[in-house]
Amino acid sequence: MQFKPKMLHCYLIGGSQDVEHDPTKFLLKLTTACQAGITAFQFREKSNLVEYDVYALGFQVRTICSQFQVPLFVDDNLELAQKINADGIHVGQKDQPIEEVIQAAGNDLMIGYSCNTVAQVEHANQVQVDYIGSGPIYPTKSKADADPALGVKELGHLVQISQHPVVAIGGITPAKVPEVLTSGCAGISAIAGIFDDLAAGMPAGPDNPVSQILNCY
C-alpha cells in the first residue's frame, strides 16, 4: 500500500487496554470506528496478554481493517506487523532504531516515526519515513510515559521544519481539532478522544467522534 497524507486525517490508535482491557469490546469499537470512516488504525496492544493472544487479536484487527479498507499500522513490533500482514509500522524514540526498522521493512511497510523535538524532526528529515507523529499536544492520560504537552504553537514549529507530513497526537478531543489544524499538521491521532465517546454500533453522524473529526476538514 502506498502512503497518502490523507491517511492521517483521522488516525485511531489503540488496543484492548483502551476498552476496559476487553478484547471483544475493543474489536466491536474498532469495527464501529472503521464504519464511521477512520482513515488509519494503529494497533497498540499494552494489556497483559500472552504473545499468542496478541497475535490472535492482531489477526482479527487485520480482518476488520481489510474489510473496511482502513490502513493498518502496528506499534513498535516489526515481527507482529509482518506476521499479520500490516500495511505499516510506527516507531517511537525509545523503540528499535529507526534505521534498523527501515532496512528490515524494505518497501513492504509504510513507516511512521514519533518526533517531539526539533532535533528529532531534523533526524527524521534525513531518513526515509512516510510521516512523523508529534505530541502530546495537550496533557493526556492515554500514555503513562508521555512527554510534557507541546501545545499548538510548538507543533506548528515542528510542522514547518519537517519534510514529512505530521500527525498530531495527545489529549485531542473532537472539539480541539480545529485549533490543532491551525498548526498546518496533516492530521489528527486519537485514542481516548475517540474510544471514550464511541459506543459500539454508533452510526456516523453528529454524535460520533469520528464524524466530528472528519467534518473539520
Side-chain angles (χ1 to χ4, degrees):
M1 182 178 292
Q2 185 175 2
F3 175 79
K4 298 177 181 179
K6 68 179 182 180
M7 292 176 180
L8 305 177
H9 281 185
C10 186
Y11 185 157
L12 178 61
I13 299 173
S16 65
Q17 72 279 354
D18 302 302
V19 190
E20 303 173 29
H21 293 271
D22 187 323
T24 299
K25 290 182 178 179
F26 159 64
L27 292 171
L28 286 172
K29 282 202 175 188
L30 173 60
T31 300
T32 300
C34 289
Q35 290 173 326
I38 58 169
T39 54
F41 178 67
Q42 182 187 136
F43 182 43
R44 177 178 173 269
E45 183 55 49
K46 298 296 182 181
S47 287
N48 293 322
L49 299 178
V50 298
E51 184 178 35
Y52 173 82
D53 289 337
V54 172
Y55 277 71
L57 185 58
F59 279 112
Q60 293 179 80
V61 167
R62 170 72 278 178
T63 298
I64 293 169
C65 289
S66 294
Q67 179 183 352
F68 294 97
Q69 297 182 317
V70 173
L72 171 61
F73 292 80
V74 169
D75 175 60
D76 180 32
N77 190 328
L78 183 59
E79 182 179 350
L80 175 61
Q82 293 172 328
K83 188 72 172 180
I84 68 172
N85 195 29
D87 303 299
I89 185 167
H90 187 88
V91 183
Q93 289 291 325
K94 299 176 183 178
D95 300 336
Q96 184 177 359
I98 188 66
E99 291 84 359
E100 293 181 8
V101 175
I102 293 170
Q103 183 176 8
N107 296 319
D108 296 331
L109 295 170
M110 298 179 287
I111 300 175
Y113 189 31
S114 293
C115 298
N116 309 322
T117 68
V118 170
Q120 291 170 358
V121 173
E122 289 177 340
H123 177 227
N125 286 342
Q126 300 173 28
V127 296
Q128 292 181 340
V129 297
D130 293 289
Y131 74 90
I132 65 170
S134 296
I137 310 307
Y138 305 102
T140 177
K141 297 180 180 178
S142 296
K143 192 174 181 182
D145 60 347
D147 293 331
L150 292 175
V152 174
K153 183 177 180 180
E154 180 58 22
L155 172 63
H157 183 207
L158 298 182
V159 169
Q160 286 182 341
I161 64 175
S162 176
Q163 296 177 12
H164 306 292
V166 178
V167 62
I169 186 171
I172 304 174
T173 61
K176 294 176 179 176
V177 172
E179 178 185 22
V180 177
L181 290 178
T182 64
S183 68
C185 67
I188 302 296
S189 288
I191 301 174
I194 291 178
F195 275 124
D196 285 3
D197 295 323
L198 183 71
M202 176 184 284
D207 295 327
N208 189 307
V210 176
S211 299
Q212 292 169 2
I213 292 173
L214 291 173
N215 286 340
C216 293
Y217 292 92

